Amino acid sequence: MKYKVLFFLLLFFGSLQAQQTQTERLRNHLYLLASDSLEGRMAGSNGGLKARQYLLKQYQAMGLEPYRDKYIHTFKASNQAMILGAGINNELANIVMVIPGNDPELKEEYIVLGAHYDHVGVKNGKIHNGADDNASGSSALVEIARQIYAHRDQLKRTVIIAAFDAEEEGLFGSKALVNYMDANGDIKKVKLMMSIDMVGWLSTGGALSLEGSSTLKDVDNFLHQLGEKKGITIRTKSFENSIMTATDTEPFAKAGCPTLAVTTGLKSPYHKPEDDADLIDYDGLNLICNYIAELTLGLAADNPPLVSSQRLAAKHQNHLRPFEIGLSLGFGRAGFRYPGSAFYGKTGLEGHIGITTRLNYKRWSLQAEALYNIERMPKPNLDGTVSDVFGNYSKETHSSLFVPVSLLWNVTASGLFYLGAGANYRLLLNHTDIYHSNLWGFHYTFGFKLGQLKISVMKIFQLTPYYIDNTKPKTKSLQGGITLTYML
Ligand SMILES: [Zn+2]
């Protein structure tokens, strides 16, 4: 009797095994990839190789075809010996598969789905399992591929599935695939690349982030509606703007491809030994797989249409747009100076608002701004001082139109840092009975770019004396301020 029960129990669990749910499969993949025996899956390590072999077996078992006749695409990272050091025992390699589209024309267009399977290995004697980063994305990609493959008859476009190696050391796997696709004339066919990186913490963040939705035309509504349909909150971000983080979208974006970075955000113990499999939200991961699979099937069937907006995140641009325009707002200090006199002016406050435009050529920019400026400055005395013998001084307010034209040198090709100098014109709008209304000067400036925002500092020296009456002291003004410009 006892044995009979055991037999039925075995039969029962055996059949469960055969009809595992996607959530159960995800849990299995993830616990395996993030287990201590893989020692943190560092690129080139034996643990990294085990992860690759496990994933390859999964993809081959479901019947996926290799991309360009090989599943394993080995590559060398630039200065890999220096980066990976003694930890490297094996070649670095991506696993790349293809699910061909069926439309005679659209099958020549690709959607690439990628997830890196490497992590940072063992640090200070502690295994970093990288359950969220990125056993979660690697596991999800297997199940997403399974769903897409099951519905491959619906595909018009071709889907490429890529498990990347050596992301953590500098996106080497995705860079290698971009180079390989470029050499084979395939990179121009990539209409969308999605990187699934850190997707294990849905319930904590409350939403799945899709960063880069503005690299495609008119998909935002669809992305949100599909989320409602699949029971998952979607947060879209127009562009990947963080300069602190990067994922495998980057080499594709720099090659001009529209990209979406798919993530539940930096919620897990990021790059810490505590990033373990028991903390992962498996139900959330299950929802994410369903969502990305259906999104990919939709876009691959051209429903909704998949069209590049021709726009890229600022950090992904490897050259400057020929023309830029932005809205500027800033503040600073303003005062008088008295050339040839021992007196220095006290300073007051200034604020400005206006428009900034730029013409860019290679690393050079010609910048012209039109700013409405208000200054509240100490009023100068006839002897060239600003205060009475007791140190008291009165102030007056100047309003003006200020037009600085600057020649800028961009230190990086994407214009991340810049410095320059130029000439400026100021049209004084009040007190013109005693002061010149046309004032000329020069300035120097430097600044940097943070996503769509430019932050710059300018120091301005006025050359035209203030007073019309030239018997009065040669009073000139001096300004310095900071300007925030939102580039459109
Ligand atoms: Zn990652």
Side-chain angles (χ1 to χ4, degrees):
M1 191 66 189
K2 261 185 181 169
Y3 290 112
K4 219 170 181 180
V5 169
L6 190 64
F7 174 76
F8 279 113
L9 273 177
L10 279 173
L11 204 69
F12 178 67
F13 283 114
S15 67
L16 261 190
Q17 184 70 24
Q19 330 165 343
Q20 269 187 339
T21 62
Q22 181 174 269
T23 310
E24 287 163 342
R25 285 194 300 273
L26 287 166
R27 191 187 293 269
N28 289 345
H29 301 322
L30 210 146
Y31 265 89
L32 191 134
L33 292 170
S35 66
D36 283 353
S37 62
L38 269 64
E39 296 180 318
R41 307 185 306 281
M42 187 175 153
S45 71
N46 290 335
L49 182 63
K50 279 185 197 165
R52 184 194 309 162
Q53 286 164 343
Y54 175 79
L55 291 170
L56 176 64
K57 222 164 71 185
Q58 297 297 317
Y59 287 119
Q60 286 179 326
M62 69 177 86
L64 257 57
E65 291 173 30
Y67 168 63
R68 289 195 173 268
D69 300 324
K70 51 184 184 183
Y71 289 101
I72 298 296
H73 290 245
T74 57
F75 61 90
K76 280 200 163 41
S78 57
N79 56 356
Q80 73 181 40
M82 195 184 86
I83 292 164
L84 301 174
I88 182 160
N89 304 316
N90 307 290
E91 275 190 298
L92 306 177
N94 299 325
I95 318 170
V96 195
M97 279 79 44
V98 63
I99 311 175
N102 302 298
D103 184 89
E105 280 172 28
L106 289 180
K107 72 176 183 189
E108 294 302 319
E109 297 188 359
Y110 300 161
I111 296 174
V112 178
L113 296 184
H116 75 88
Y117 65 86
D118 67 303
H119 193 53
V120 297
V122 181
K123 279 181 170 176
N124 306 321
K126 286 186 175 141
I127 300 175
H128 289 54
N129 283 322
D132 186 34
D133 186 11
N134 186 28
S136 67
S138 302
S139 304
L141 189 61
V142 171
E143 296 309 316
I144 292 164
R146 193 189 308 281
Q147 287 198 39
I148 294 169
Y149 189 68
H151 297 95
R152 60 192 178 279
D153 54 321
Q154 296 174 17
L155 297 177
K156 291 181 178 169
R157 295 190 169 90
T158 293
V159 176
I160 290 176
I161 304 288
F164 294 120
D165 199 358
E167 187 264 4
E168 300 285 5
E169 286 77 18
L171 313 173
F172 291 117
S174 44
K175 280 178 189 166
L177 183 61
V178 166
N179 289 340
Y180 182 79
M181 292 185 85
D182 193 23
N184 287 285
D186 283 351
I187 197 72
K188 292 273 172 283
K189 300 179 182 175
V190 177
K191 299 300 160 188
L192 173 63
M193 191 279 171
M194 286 191 255
S195 169
I196 303 160
D197 196 353
M198 302 177 68
V199 286
W201 283 57
L202 181 66
S203 57
T204 309
L208 179 68
S209 290
L210 302 176
E211 302 180 357
S213 59
S214 291
T215 61
L216 291 172
K217 246 187 198 167
D218 307 325
V219 290
D220 251 69
N221 281 340
F222 178 80
L223 296 175
H224 289 283
Q225 282 163 9
L226 183 62
E228 275 171 40
K229 186 181 152 193
K230 306 303 270 184
I232 182 169
T233 307
I234 298 299
R235 191 180 295 139
T236 55
K237 220 170 128 185
S238 294
F239 297 103
E240 279 179 71
N241 281 331
S242 166
I243 54 168
M244 303 304 287
T245 59
T247 182
D248 293 308
T249 47
E250 187 168 298
F252 287 86
K254 285 187 168 172
C257 309
T259 56
L260 285 175
V262 180
T263 183
T264 50
L266 288 169
K267 306 290 178 216
S268 53
Y270 180 66
H271 286 200
K272 293 206 173 81
E274 293 79 28
D275 181 8
D276 278 327
D278 56 336
L279 300 178
I280 297 296
D281 170 14
Y282 292 93
D283 292 327
L285 195 57
N286 182 52
L287 291 176
I288 291 167
C289 289
N290 294 343
Y291 179 85
I292 298 296
E294 189 153 332
L295 173 64
T296 309
L297 284 166
L299 292 169
D302 211 37
N303 177 30
L306 179 56
V307 184
S308 168
S309 68
Q310 308 289 343
R311 292 166 70 201
L312 290 173
K315 69 168 182 172
H316 289 155
Q317 280 160 7
N318 43 22
H319 60 270
L320 294 158
R321 283 183 283 163
F323 177 72
E324 292 177 282
I325 185 161
L327 302 174
S328 294
L329 185 69
F331 61 91
R333 300 200 66 88
F336 288 108
R337 66 194 171 99
Y338 308 99
S341 139
F343 297 101
Y344 288 90
K346 290 202 180 278
T347 57
L349 284 174
E350 69 90 18
H352 53 269
I353 185 167
I355 291 171
T356 297
T357 61
R358 271 192 195 185
L359 287 172
N360 300 314
Y361 177 72
K362 291 185 178 168
R363 296 236 178 155
W364 293 99
S365 303
L366 185 66
Q367 174 175 282
E369 293 168 280
L371 304 168
Y372 178 71
N373 187 285
I374 288 189
E375 299 162 337
R376 181 110 180 106
M377 311 211 294
K379 189 178 175 177
N381 295 323
L382 292 185
D383 59 1
T385 60
V386 290
S387 62
D388 60 24
V389 287
F390 305 108
N392 303 313
Y393 57 91
S394 58
K395 287 180 175 178
E396 62 188 18
T397 303
H398 300 173
S399 64
S400 59
L401 178 69
F402 180 56
V403 184
V405 176
S406 322
L407 185 65
L408 306 176
W409 163 253
N410 293 287
V411 180
T412 64
S414 61
L416 216 51
F417 301 97
Y418 50 88
L419 43 103
N424 58 71
Y425 167 74
R426 186 184 297 272
L427 177 65
L428 198 66
L429 301 171
N430 60 354
H431 298 299
T432 50
D433 50 334
I434 52 166
Y435 298 141
H436 284 289
S437 53
N438 296 300
L439 305 161
W440 296 90
F442 69 94
H443 59 267
Y444 64 82
T445 182
F446 58 90
F448 62 94
K449 184 165 82 171
L450 206 71
Q452 302 285 102
L453 208 62
K454 286 192 201 318
I455 299 161
S456 58
V457 171
M458 186 179 277
K459 179 105 178 168
I460 301 147
F461 305 86
Q462 188 195 301
L463 296 174
T464 315
Y466 248 72
Y467 288 112
I468 298 169
D469 180 351
N470 59 17
T471 62
K472 290 186 172 171
K474 272 196 172 194
T475 306
K476 296 173 181 180
S477 73
L478 183 68
Q479 283 98 350
I482 184 162
T483 303
L484 304 179
T485 304
Y486 185 78
M487 303 311 289
L488 302 174

